[in-house]
Amino acid sequence: QVQLQESGPGLVKPSETLSLTCSVSGGSISNYYWSWIRQSPGKGLEWIGYIYYSGSTNYNPSLKSRVTMSVEMSKNQFSLKLSSVTAADTAVYYCARLSSSSWNTLDYWGQGTLVTVSS
Amino acid sequence: DIQMTQSPSSLSASVGDRVTITCRASQTVTSYLNWYQQKTGKAPNLLIYSASTLQSGVPSRFSGSGSGTDFTLTISSLQPEDSATYYCQQSISSPFTFGQGTKLEIK
C-alpha cells in the first residue's frame, strides 16, 4: 500500500520560502506524477501543481511565479518550494499521487501538514 | 481555468435517505470528473473517477453520473459515516480545479 508523508516547518515568516518534502513508501516514485494541493483554513481545495518522476512539471498559473517542485529519486521523495509567502499562503498542504493512467485521479494522499505564515 | 460549481453548499439528511449532489463545469470536461470525500481533519479520499467509476473499496451506495458539464454524486442510503464534505474535481485540463465543496450533515 502506497503511503505519503509530508514534512517541513510548520511556521514560516512572511516574504520567506516555504519548503516541504513528501516521502513515498510502499511503492516507487518512478513512472508516476506527484502533486501538491493546499487547503486554507475552513476553505476548499486548491491544486498547486504536479511533477513527473523525470522532473517535468506543471504548475497552477496562479502560483507559477513562486512555485518550484523537484524530485529526489534516490530518497523516493519529492518537494515543494513556495517563495515570497504571505498570510494568504497559510494552509494545510497535501501531497498526493496523480494517476495519469486512471483519469488523472489523486488516488493516494498524505495526511497533510499545516503551514502558518506569521512573523 | 475551468470553474467547478457544486450545489448545494451544504445539506442535512437522515440515515437511510437518498442524497444527490450536483457539480457543473464551466466548459466540457467529457468524463474527466472525480469525486472526493473529506472527513474533518483528514485528507480527501477518492470515491469516484471518470464520472461514474467507483474507486476500489468504496461502498456501492455511492454512485456518479453525467458527462460534459453536468454531473451528480448520489448516495443511495445515507449512513452515519457519510458525514463529510464532498468535492468534485475536473482532471481534463490543468489546473485541475475543484468545486467549492458540499458539506453533508446527518440529522
Side-chain angles (χ1 to χ4, degrees):
Chain A
Q1 179 80 335
V2 175
Q3 294 185 318
L4 293 83
Q5 177 69 57
E6 304 89 352
S7 60
L11 181 64
V12 181
K13 290 183 168 56
S15 79
E16 295 190 344
T17 296
L18 177 160
S19 295
L20 295 175
T21 295
C22 184
S23 299
V24 180
S25 59
S28 174
I29 204 167
S30 298
N31 301 314
Y32 281 98
Y33 292 85
W34 302 92
S35 294
W36 290 95
I37 303 99
R38 71 180 182 178
Q39 186 170 35
S40 301
K43 302 290 186 181
L45 299 162
E46 180 179 25
W47 181 79
I48 299 172
Y50 64 73
I51 184 167
Y52 195 43
Y53 78 101
S54 62
S56 61
T57 56
N58 187 311
Y59 302 145
N60 190 325
S62 68
L63 298 168
K64 187 174 183 177
S65 64
R66 299 194 291 130
V67 170
T68 303
M69 295 183 187
S70 60
V71 167
E72 182 64 65
M73 292 282 292
S74 63
K75 295 182 179 179
N76 227 35
Q77 294 176 338
F78 61 104
S79 298
L80 168 71
K81 292 187 186 298
L82 181 66
S83 64
S84 305
V85 297
T86 69
D89 295 310
T90 294
V92 175
Y93 286 76
Y94 296 100
C95 59
R97 190 179 81 171
L98 191 153
S99 181
S100 61
S101 62
S102 182
W103 301 77
N104 295 331
T105 56
L106 298 164
D107 58 356
Y108 290 97
W109 293 66
Q111 65 186 25
T113 187
L114 174 63
V115 178
T116 301
V117 179
S118 175
S119 56
Chain B
D1 298 4
I2 298 176
Q3 306 303 314
M4 307 301 293
T5 304
Q6 291 180 229
S7 61
S9 295
S10 64
L11 75 153
S12 181
S14 300
V15 172
D17 283 354
R18 182 181 181 88
V19 170
T20 297
I21 297 169
T22 65
C23 177
R24 175 165 288 176
S26 61
Q27 61 192 76
T28 184
V29 298
T30 64
S31 292
Y32 280 80
L33 191 285
N34 311 308
W35 290 97
Y36 298 86
Q37 176 194 63
Q38 185 179 33
K39 297 186 177 181
T40 303
K42 300 293 187 181
N45 180 51
L46 177 65
L47 290 179
I48 288 169
Y49 62 95
S50 71
S52 61
T53 304
L54 212 60
Q55 173 72 344
S56 175
V58 173
S60 59
R61 63 181 179 274
F62 291 91
S63 64
S65 65
S67 66
T69 60
D70 294 305
F71 302 88
T72 60
L73 171 69
T74 300
I75 308 173
S76 61
S77 179
L78 194 64
Q79 299 302 303
E81 60 267 31
D82 300 335
S83 177
T85 300
Y86 294 83
Y87 294 92
C88 62
Q89 182 217 16
Q90 63 83 14
S91 57
I92 194 172
S93 173
S94 173
F96 297 151
T97 43
F98 294 87
Q100 81 278 16
T102 295
K103 186 172 184 178
L104 173 57
E105 294 182 337
I106 311 297
K107 287 180 183 175

